Structure formats: C-alpha cells, structure tokens
C-alpha cells in the first residue's frame, strides 16, 4: 500500500512506457478506485512526462517519503 508523498520507482507503465525506470511521487490521498481503474497517480516523473497512472504491480517503493 502506498500513501501520498511516497517516492516510487516505476518498473513498467502501461499508461506511458516512457516512465519506466524513472522515479516519482504518489499523489493519491486515498487508495485508487474505479475512477482511475485501480491505478495510482504518480507525479514528477520527468520534464516532458505528465502524471501517469500505474497499477500497484508496476511500482516499487524506494523507502523515501516527502516530509
């Protein structure tokens, strides 16, 4: 389970394959639901990559938390 502010590494990303291998931060305050198709919103992935939606199995926690 991830929380808002957690840094994650994107292993793969069906939403935007350019995000694979990059790190970003979870911005969801609550676990993902039907609106996002059960995917987490990850922001800060890259200059030319906007927020991406990733399933839990596509992400790995880096053990860093903003704050």
């Amino acid at each position: 389970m991830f929380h808002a502010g957690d840094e994650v590494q994107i292993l793969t990303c069906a939403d935007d394959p350019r995000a694979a291998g990059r790190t970003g931060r979870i911005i969801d305050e609550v676990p993902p639901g039907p609106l996002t198709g059960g995917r987490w919103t990850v922001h800060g992935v890259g200059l030319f990559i906007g927020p991406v939606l990733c399933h839990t199995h596509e992400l790995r926690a880096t053990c860093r938390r903003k704050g």
Side-chain angles (χ1 to χ4, degrees):
M1 176 75 62
F2 300 109
H3 302 282
D6 288 353
E7 184 180 88
V8 294
Q9 179 182 19
I10 301 171
L11 304 174
T12 61
C13 183
D15 186 44
D16 190 340
R18 300 176 300 162
R22 297 175 182 255
T23 58
R25 296 217 180 263
I26 299 290
I27 61 172
D28 299 311
E29 296 287 334
V30 296
L35 183 63
T36 61
R39 299 174 293 176
W40 295 95
T41 308
V42 183
H43 180 68
V45 178
L47 184 61
F48 297 109
I49 302 173
V52 293
L53 297 171
C54 299
H55 291 282
T56 302
H57 69 272
E58 297 178 318
L59 302 172
R60 178 186 304 150
T62 64
C63 299
R64 294 184 190 152
R65 184 163 171 82
K66 183 178 180 179

